[in-house]
Amino acid sequence: MYGRALEVFSKALGLSGAERRAFLDSACTGDALMRAEVESLLAHDAAVEGGGEEAEARAQKGVLGVLAQESNGGGDTGCRAGDTLGPYKLLQQIGEGGFGTVFSAEQAPRLRRRVALKVLKAGMDTKEVIGRFEAERNALSLMNHPNIAKVFDVGATPSGRPYFVMEYVEGIAITEFCDLEELSLEARMRLFLEVCAAVQHAHQKGVIHRDLKPSNIMVTMQDGQPVPKVIDFGIAKATGQSLTDQTVFTLHGQLMGTPEYMSPEQAEMSGVGVDSTTDIYALGVVLYELLTGVLPFDPKTLRSRGLAEIHRILREEEPKRPSTRVSTLGPSTTEIGKRRRTNPRKLKSDLSGDLDWIVMRAMEKQRTRRYPTASELAADLRRHLAHEPVQAGPPSAVYRMRKFVRRNRVAVSFATMALLLLVGGSVGTTLGMLDARRERADAVDARLLAEAAGQATEAQHLEADAQRAEAVTQRREAVAQRERAEDNLALATAEGARARAVTDFLLETLGLADPDVTKLPEMSMADALDAAAAQVGEAFADYPENEAEIRRVIGTAYDTLGRPDLALPQLRRALHLYRNVLRSERTELADTMSVLYQVGQRVGEVDWVSIARNTLELRLSILAETDPDLARRFGLLTVDAKDPFVLPLLVRKAWGELCALARERIRPSDGAWPNVRILMYAVPLTMGWRSLTTDAPEMMEELLAQGLTVTSHRRVRYVTKMALYFRIRAGDYAGAKALASERVARLTEILGPDHWYLETYRSVIGECLAAEGRHDEAQAILERSLAVLERPGALIFEDAVETRLRLAKLHEASGHPERAAPHRQALVDYALGLPFSIQWTMLRDYLGPEYTEVVEAIDEFDALVLQCAGSDEPLRSRAGEFTAIIQRILETRRRLCPDGGSVALLVAGHMVERAEILLSASGLEEAREALLVEAMRLVRLHRDERPLQHVIGAAILFSHLLDLGDEERVRAVCLELDALVPEVLQEPGKVNFGALNSNSLTWYLVKSPGLAQETYAVIARFAALVLLAAPDRAEYSNTIGVALYRAGRYEEAIGHLAESDRLLRLDPERGGPVGSPADQAFLAMAHHRLGHGAEAAEAMERLGRLMQEASAALRPENQAFLAEAEAVLAD
Amino acid sequence: MSALFERSRNGDREASERMFELVHKELHGLASRMMRAERSDHTLQPTALVNEACLRLFAQHGDWDGRQHFLALAATVMRRVLGDHARRHGADKRGGAWRRITLDGREGVETDQEHELVALDTALEKLGTLHDRQARIVEMRYLAGMTVTEVAEVLEVSRSTIEAEWRMARAWLHRELGSGGVRRDEPTP
């Protein structure tokens, strides 16, 4: 039916009114369905075609006439006033131009409307011209804008020349008008804004002008107001794309027309189509001329050159900035200034900056760098007029802005596209993003898949990153090569500056999430962040350095909004990109780690202490680069602190040394000084390392004085809180209250009185009131704060906890321990869900005063370990003291914390951890045994509610028993673990446990044989999840490899062990070129099991070499691996 | 390339498919090269891309005799690229819970347009089953920016036929896509 309908439709098109109806009647006899179809299609055709007449009629009102001026005389068109062309009677010649003559004319007696008629010269293919115009007619008919003079029609003169019929506009060229009226710069810009609106309108309708220049922008007076009108839309296209080129030289080689407004891509003549940004370029030239009175390229110079040279200039030479240009014009500048109601000096200063940038951006050689739309050009001008920062700017700013206005533009492009289809035009404003976005969409898909499918596809993700890392390397090499070739350092700097710029932009925009700095509704910010987070991977698929920086910023902002859970993935990803893809060792990596450890600390999810330590090390190592002495001492210091299995307690020793070094070497003039200072205190303060924090109060006050003047809210917040803490500790409640009140007042101004963020400081006020004995007031404030802080989405971990603690203490001080009890219980429950390293610091505070003796006993144990760690003395030389302290721990625990209670369980966890510290110490087996057996007894009482604690205890007991060589009990604990492990680790969601802790746990489980193969398989899966948290950690891959080996999955084991080996070798400080015995031993065994004799032998050989080194040989576990490998290979 | 093209023109399916692949690759490569070269988003329109791809392929592989035919082919490829994009993009969005908020607080409006793009692709698919040539005409006119004359040459039918079919295809699409959703800027006739 469609085929027949087409036939009828085609014929009906040529008919109208009654004729058409009659035709349809006869053609569709007996086929009502087809008739309906054809009529429906005809109606839609009319809808698409139409709009024309009416729209034209509307546009006619108030229009007086056309005056078209061309700067040069043209050939004879053979037409004279008084002639009649079709329905038009030529009235008088009103202009002559490069390609023809313009007449005013009157349309057919009946309509009597005044039009302008442009008759083209000979030399053009009339049929082609008319054909092309027809092709664009529909698009043209859709334009309906007060600043656009319409082109109505096209036709051919009897002598075969094409002519155009246009709206008649009486006026003069915009530049001329502005000079005659002596319009100020501002008035000129306002007029120009209307031109932009006209061009934007045309672009939205799919029409590109292609030949914008002052003589095509007329200013006419309407009701005493100047109104610019853009004429000749559609004519350039109809007369051929290279119209401007053709008008440059006549047949006789004489220069004609106007190359000055020609865009570089038009000068290319390569056949690559112009697009809407071609018009933007021309608008830039017009604006240049309006502002400066001269053209960007001197017409005389331009015209004195050959065609090829003109093209070269347009393509390659950068025009002078407007402000530079006006200062090089000599005496004529005074006249130019006068025409703008200003003087040369002021003119120059008014032009420099914003206006320079705006003009230069519109005139960028690369069209992709220009304003993508006329309305964006206009918007920037408006910003300038409103004294707001413009988007254009030095190149980096241009770049950073464009990145983030993209979405708006894409929105425009889709709208345009849908419209274009129907108007039949083939050009549009900004459609090109589609392809680029498609490419990126591929990347996003991969990511979504990875998220959906979990760990399996995570590997692909990582692989993609590896490729990106390679790409980065290649790109850097390419850059380096170019630098060498051109000795062009600027290139590299620009690269860095760009990356910076993106982040600056984000910081400026997203940094608004910072409640200490400015006010924004919470929700919109969260939405913006979500959008940004979802976009960033896509937007910067090829630029991991940008992605990393932006993710860091987004992560920081999320944390600020009280969503550390959302912040963590962003920060981890940023860290991963910096470390593994970009291989950065710079400040940005340290900055990311800084935020990550703080967020990690807040949610207790990552091994934040080691990240903090690495951060401090990194900051010091960056500083050490310029300080040879610091470098040397730092090098000595970090050797032994790099052990991945180092226990938190031993970190303290390394930390102290690092801080001493930092205190001594870093000067306040160093940029990193405040960061390093805060970091130095942050960890010890949280961890309760009091000896490292003695001068912290003064330091915080000092930083406070500086910090409140900067806009980094994180610093303000941290320093304020610390200062408050120390004031309270020193008994200065009045001072603390004053500071907290001042913050509340300031934040209330910004955020209003009800924002959760204020509760941080209100809670402190509550504490001060309590100390002053104003218990009722204090309680009211604290309870309110707690309610707000525990509201979902508003939680800042430590503030809620601290508020509970304050409430508990308040009730205890006012003699109501029973009211404190629920808060204490909540704190203990809180602590139980956290990794030991956090519990440990909190223990002292969280447990009520009745438990002081237990806490002190544990503290004493830690102090003794610290003493040993600080000296060369082996732990066993203090065996007596350890035994005595352990007895005290056991005794106080028994006396104060009843079996089966949550406090007993909490203490048991700490006993397990203390036993772990003693694991490697010979001579302390009995002390260990006493701690572990008792701890395990307590833990087993909670097997159902806290199975994780049980697994941890059993894993350490397992190690202990292996060490004792007690085979019978080893078998028993293995059975216990075989039953427990699958239950607990199979559902990793249950395990709220830091990555480092998780890896330690799995390591204890896999390093010695003895469990069932299925158990190892479960452990391997769990370890793979741990790996997700820190994919770059060699030891995590090693753990997986060992687990898989023990599960009998040798091939897979080899993959992970090789990855571990690779990662370790990448890190010169940890593995260097030698690798690790744990990788080599298991590689040897796995290869042997698969019958790969050569590979096994090779790994054994490397293992042998590694074991030559004392540091490796001294570790008992390495000895065990060697023995195990030798035994396996001897089989 | 020229030989391949000749074979393709003469109805060799395999050659056509090879050509299709070649053009697809080129279009894709082109888009990504432009991205890399310029780092910022670019504003090339599909028409320009098609033309550019065309230029490059012919500069490398052959003469310009078959330009029109090549453009026609490229238009088909382009349509697929765009349609895929819109679909993929739509799927991506359904997958995520976030709303598209521009940083200056304006709501992104592309959702509707993307739907339209998908709808357009689907509609063209349907039109192709009704009248293959009309679908081809739309592709060529719209995506390759070809004139009625050029289309007529490629399809080897008269200009007036193309003109009439173009108008019919356009009317059909206008109806199919629902005028309310697409032509909101236009005056009601």
Side-chain angles (χ1 to χ4, degrees), chain A residues 902-922:
Chain A
S902 51
V903 176
L905 180 63
L906 189 64
V907 174
H910 288 267
M911 286 159 63
V912 168
E913 206 188 9
R914 276 27 178 212
E916 185 190 359
I917 292 170
L918 302 181
L919 266 185
S920 57
S922 59

Side-chain angles (χ1 to χ4, degrees), chain A residues 44 47 49 403 409 432, chain B residues 39 41 44 134 170 174 183:
Chain A
H44 279 275
E49 284 283 299
K403 279 295 181 196
R409 242 174 308 132
Chain B
R39 260 187 90 145
D41 39 315
L44 272 177
Q134 288 189 11
R170 220 172 44 173
H174 184 248
R183 296 184 62 225

Side-chain angles (χ1 to χ4, degrees), chain A residues 624-639:
Chain A
E625 279 172 23
T626 51
D627 183 341
D629 187 44
L630 180 63
R632 189 183 55 78
R633 300 178 55 183
F634 181 68
L636 289 174
L637 179 68
T638 47
V639 174

Side-chain angles (χ1 to χ4, degrees), chain A residues 649-690:
Chain A
L649 202 56
L650 300 179
V651 172
R652 178 173 171 175
K653 173 176 174 251
W655 191 273
E657 291 171 21
L658 282 173
C659 288
L661 195 58
R663 214 176 250 116
E664 188 185 318
R665 306 295 307 187
I666 299 175
R667 293 162 209 88
S669 56
D670 279 314
W673 188 80
N675 281 332
V676 173
R677 277 289 145 116
I678 290 175
L679 186 59
M680 272 167 56
Y681 293 103
V683 175
L685 285 172
T686 316
M687 300 301 282
W689 299 337
R690 288 182 183 158

Side-chain angles (χ1 to χ4, degrees), chain A residues 47 70 118 151 239 260-261 274 290 303 373 453 484 605 608 658 730 752 763 765 767 807 815 936 974 1018 1047 1087 1096:
Chain A
E70 288 296 331
K118 189 175 234 173
V151 177
T239 51
E260 292 86 358
Y261 303 91
V274 297
L290 282 173
R303 282 160 196 260
T373 61
R484 278 196 294 276
E605 245 196 45
W608 68 275
L658 282 173
S763 176
I765 296 176
E767 182 174 3
L807 272 168
M936 284 306 290
C974 281
V1018 173
H1087 278 303

Side-chain angles (χ1 to χ4, degrees), chain A residues 2 5-6 9-10 13 37 40-41 44-45 47-49 51 54 58 131 135 138 142 205 208 270-272 274-277 366-369 372 399 402-404 406-411 414-415 417-442 444-445 448 495 498 505 509-510 527-528 530-531 534-535 538 542-543 546, chain B residues 24 27-29 31-32 35-49 51-52 55 78 80-82 84-86 88-89 91-92 95 98-104 106 108-110 113-114 116-117 120 127 130-131 133-134 138 141-149 159 163-175 177 179 182-189:
Chain A
Y2 197 87
L6 170 62
F9 177 88
S10 309
L13 276 183
E37 172 74 6
S40 155
L41 287 174
H44 279 275
D45 177 65
V48 186
E49 284 283 299
E54 276 177 50
R58 268 203 309 278
N138 292 321
L142 276 179
K205 303 295 174 193
I208 296 175
S270 64
V272 179
V274 297
D275 66 14
S276 53
T277 56
Q366 284 266 13
R367 51 175 133 180
T368 55
R369 289 179 175 225
Y399 175 77
R402 289 174 60 92
K403 279 295 181 196
F404 282 87
R406 162 178 306 141
R407 264 172 298 166
N408 300 344
R409 242 174 308 132
V410 171
F414 280 107
M417 181 154 185
L419 191 68
L420 279 179
L421 172 78
L422 294 166
V423 299
S426 62
V427 289
T429 39
T430 54
L431 294 167
M433 279 310 300
L434 293 174
D435 299 274
R437 290 174 63 87
R438 189 189 123 80
E439 291 244 315
R440 288 170 169 184
D442 289 342
V444 170
D445 276 2
L448 284 174
E495 185 89 349
R498 279 177 166 182
F505 171 78
T509 315
L510 296 186
D527 286 349
D530 289 348
Q535 286 265 355
E538 182 187 6
D542 293 334
Y543 298 94
N546 294 348
Chain B
H24 193 273
L27 275 173
H28 239 273
S32 58
M35 285 308 300
R36 277 179 212 126
E38 195 25 55
R39 260 187 90 145
S40 66
D41 39 315
H42 61 102
T43 54
L44 272 177
Q45 57 205 48
T47 314
L49 265 180
N51 273 306
E52 175 86 8
L55 259 172
M78 196 66 204
R80 177 171 296 185
V81 169
L82 293 178
D84 282 355
H85 166 81
R88 189 183 306 263
H89 200 65
D92 160 26
W98 52 278
R99 278 188 307 143
R100 217 160 250 264
I101 303 273
T102 55
L103 287 179
D104 59 4
R106 270 179 287 159
V109 292
E110 66 214 84
Q113 272 71 39
E114 276 173 38
E116 277 163 15
L117 200 54
L120 164 60
L127 180 60
L130 291 174
H131 200 280
R133 189 165 65 201
Q134 288 189 11
V138 173
R141 294 277 286 125
Y142 170 49
L143 289 167
M146 292 165 70
T147 64
V148 169
T149 315
R159 267 193 93 236
E163 180 67 39
E165 291 192 5
W166 163 241
R167 282 179 70 173
M168 177 139 161
R170 220 172 44 173
W172 186 87
L173 281 167
H174 184 248
R175 188 180 66 192
L177 294 173
S179 52
V182 185
R183 296 184 62 225
R184 59 195 85 165
D185 291 347
E186 291 179 40
T188 318

